[in-house]
Amino acid sequence: MSIKQQIRNDRLPRHIAIIMDGNGRWAKRQGMHRFFGHQRGVEAVHEITEACAELGIEYLTLYAFSIENWNRPQEEVDALMSLLIDTVEKETPTLHKNNVRLLTIGDTSRLPQTAREKFLNCMEYTAGNTGLKLVLALSYSSRWEITEAMRRMAVKVRQGEILPEDITEQTVDSLLTTAGIPDPDLLIRTSGELRISNFLLWQLAYSELYFTGLCWPEFNKEALYEAIVDYQKRERRFGKTSEQINS
């Protein structure tokens, strides 16, 4: 039985989030420039998006560029922005053909104008698609997101739109950039690093975490299937006991 055949369709994660790490390290091991790793990483994005769509996953969120990544050498930042622009323009027809809808989260106002326009065009073009929702985290960090949500909440309190004692978890959810998107069931991080790097801190409260030593350019459909099979072996209790869940 292949690893894909071991996947139970009745226990698929609704939402998978991935920290795509290790592009540069993978390229250096090949004796290549770091940017070569980012180019190969785009191929992995294409393959994993295709696999999730085929399986019937509802949401796939990819950590594409963090706010902290703006601090990298300008040459690398410029190359990454150029790659993002070229990729989204090239992939838009394929996403639409495969019924995939593109969404973004993060401080996209910091992206170059050309990049913002390309992403906006793709999101508008795919807005009516009903299959996989592909969410790209661009210029994103969770502390930035939570800080912005608190600022917006403070304004609502000051203007009398909401009382402090009426603030709930649902109120916070509604002010995050992920409003309307279910929390991830499964978080995957590649490259062997064992941290979540300021990614979806609020949303990952009860997500299952899966770490692999594979760098992102090496992460393929088989690796995704292995992560899903591992996820399906776990018991998700959400603070309850096993006896409560099983009953």
Side-chain angles (χ1 to χ4, degrees):
M1 182 184 294
S2 70
I3 188 68
K4 184 179 182 180
Q5 291 173 323
Q6 296 177 42
I7 294 175
R8 292 180 51 183
N9 291 330
D10 63 330
R11 293 197 62 197
L12 285 172
R14 184 182 183 194
H15 182 178
I16 297 176
I18 304 180
I19 300 175
M20 307 179 294
D21 194 23
N23 289 341
R25 275 165 284 168
W26 177 85
K28 289 175 69 175
R29 289 207 302 262
Q30 316 303 314
M32 305 292 288
H33 190 275
R34 286 177 57 86
F35 186 65
F36 179 69
H38 295 305
Q39 290 176 315
R40 287 294 296 269
V42 170
E43 297 177 21
V45 169
H46 182 94
E47 181 169 352
I48 297 307
T49 300
E50 182 179 72
C52 286
E54 290 173 350
L55 288 171
I57 304 298
E58 293 185 44
Y59 292 85
L60 172 64
T61 297
L62 302 177
Y63 203 5
F65 192 87
S66 72
I67 285 179
E68 290 76 19
N69 286 155
W70 291 114
N71 297 321
R72 291 190 174 187
Q74 192 61 46
E75 178 185 8
E76 182 173 354
V77 171
D78 290 344
L80 283 170
M81 289 298 107
S82 179
L83 182 61
L84 279 171
I85 293 169
D86 291 343
T87 300
V88 72
E89 184 172 42
K90 177 183 176 182
E91 293 294 328
T92 295
T94 302
L95 293 174
H96 187 60
K97 179 182 177 182
N98 293 328
N99 198 29
V100 176
R101 181 181 179 185
L102 180 69
L103 303 169
T104 62
I105 58 173
D107 187 9
T108 54
S109 66
R110 295 185 62 175
L111 297 175
Q113 181 177 349
T114 304
R116 294 199 305 272
E117 291 174 353
K118 295 294 183 184
F119 279 104
L120 180 60
N121 289 340
C122 184
M123 287 189 288
E124 291 178 347
Y125 191 63
T126 62
N129 292 343
T130 57
L132 173 71
K133 280 73 173 175
L134 174 61
V135 186
L136 294 185
L138 297 164
S139 189
Y140 174 90
S141 84
S142 196
R143 288 187 174 184
W144 163 84
E145 176 184 43
I146 293 171
T147 301
E148 288 299 306
M150 295 306 98
R151 286 190 181 125
R152 293 171 63 189
M153 189 172 305
V155 170
K156 287 180 178 292
V157 170
R158 183 177 61 193
Q159 294 177 343
E161 296 179 30
I162 187 172
L163 296 174
E165 56 267 30
D166 293 333
I167 295 171
T168 64
E169 289 186 13
Q170 289 70 34
T171 311
V172 177
D173 276 333
S174 70
L175 296 174
L176 298 174
T177 63
T178 54
I181 299 173
D183 292 342
D185 301 293
L186 171 63
L187 170 74
I188 299 171
R189 180 168 187 151
T190 59
S191 88
E193 300 289 355
L194 305 179
R195 55 178 178 269
I196 56 177
S197 297
N198 204 3
F199 183 49
L200 300 176
L201 300 179
W202 174 275
Q203 298 86 343
L204 293 177
Y206 278 104
S207 301
E208 298 296 324
L209 310 184
Y210 180 89
F211 300 98
T212 173
L214 295 174
C215 288
W216 178 244
E218 303 170 304
F219 195 80
N220 56 21
K221 289 185 178 182
E222 292 298 308
L224 175 69
Y225 301 153
E226 289 178 4
I228 293 174
V229 169
D230 181 87
Y231 161 85
Q232 292 184 335
K233 293 177 181 177
R234 303 185 189 185
E235 182 181 65
R236 305 191 72 198
R237 296 191 295 273
F238 300 96
K240 297 180 180 180
T241 65
S242 294
E243 289 75 16
Q244 287 176 299
I245 296 298
N246 294 327
S247 64

